[in-house]
Amino acid sequence: MYKAILEGNYLMVDETCELVGVIDESTNISEYKKRYLWAFHDKASKLVSYLYEKGSRARDALLDFIKGFKGTLSTDGYAAYQIFDGEGYPDILHCRCWAHVRRKFKEAMDVATEACMDILQDINALFVNEQLIAAEKIFRREKKRKKLSRPIVNRIFDRASLLAKDTVLMGRDLFKKAVNYLMNQEQSLRNFLKDGKAELSNNLCEQQMKPIKLDLKNCQNIGSEDAARDSAFMHSMVQSCRLNGKNPYQYLLHLFLNLKEPLDDIRKRNLLPDRWMSEPEMLKS
C-alpha cells in the first residue's frame, strides 16, 4: 500500500488525533493519551493509507513515509510541512490549502467585517473557477488557472499587503492571525497555479478522516499502540475499498485467502483495492 501510494505524483496529507492506551515505561501501567494518526491519499488511484507511527505528529514520521516521493504535495497549514517550502526538496511542489485560509478570515469577520469580506469574495471566486474547469484535462486546467485565477491570487496578496500595514486592523487579534496566516504561506498557496492536478484545498484528504472520527465516537478510545497500528491498517483497506466502489467484506475475504500463498510484488500490487476485481466484475471484463 505505501509503495503504491508513493508511485503516484500527487499526494494529499493530513493528520488527526485519537486517544490511545500507552504503557508508561516507568510504571508499566497503561494510560490513555492523545496520539496522532496520519492520512496519505493518492487521488488518482483512490487509495488512502493511514499511518500510526508511535502516535507521533513530528516531522520525522512524515519524512520517513514520503521518502523518495516526487511530485505535488497538498497539505494544510501545519508547521511540519513548512520544510517543503525551502530548497531541500526540489522534487516536491508544495501546495497549501485555500479552504483553511478562508476559514481564518471567516473567524475574523466580527472584528473586521469589510476587510474580511473583500478577501473572502476573492477566495470564493477561486473556488468558483475550480468548478468551471473541473472537467478539463490536467494541462488545460493549469492553463485556465493561470488565465482566470492568477489575477485573483495577485489581488488577494496585494490587498493583504496593504491590510498588514493598517495598525488599527492588525491590532485585532483574529484579523492579525488571518492576515499573517495568509502572508506566511504565500508561495505554497500560489503553487496550485503550477500543476493542474493539484486541488485548491486539502478537503479531499480531510474527508478521509471522517471514518476514523466516527469510529472513535463509537469506541471512545483505542486500547493499545499495537491496536492503533492494526486499526490504521484495517481503516486503510476498508476506506480504499469504499473509494474504489468495492465491497469491503468481499475484498477482505479474497485478500486473506490469497495471503496464504507466496506473492511477488506484482501480485501484491494487484491485490490492492484499486486493481482488485470481484467475480462479477471479472465476468463483465
Side-chain angles (χ1 to χ4, degrees), residues 233-248:
F233 166 74
M234 291 304 295
H235 274 292
S236 299
M237 307 313 289
V238 171
Q239 186 61 11
S240 293
C241 280
R242 289 173 177 156
L243 290 172
N244 281 280
K246 307 295 173 67
N247 182 296

Side-chain angles (χ1 to χ4, degrees), residues 35-51:
R35 290 293 184 262
Y36 284 90
L37 181 78
W38 296 85
F40 299 88
H41 177 45
D42 177 15
K43 181 186 173 186
S45 66
K46 298 180 183 179
L47 293 175
V48 57
S49 181
Y50 301 101
L51 174 70

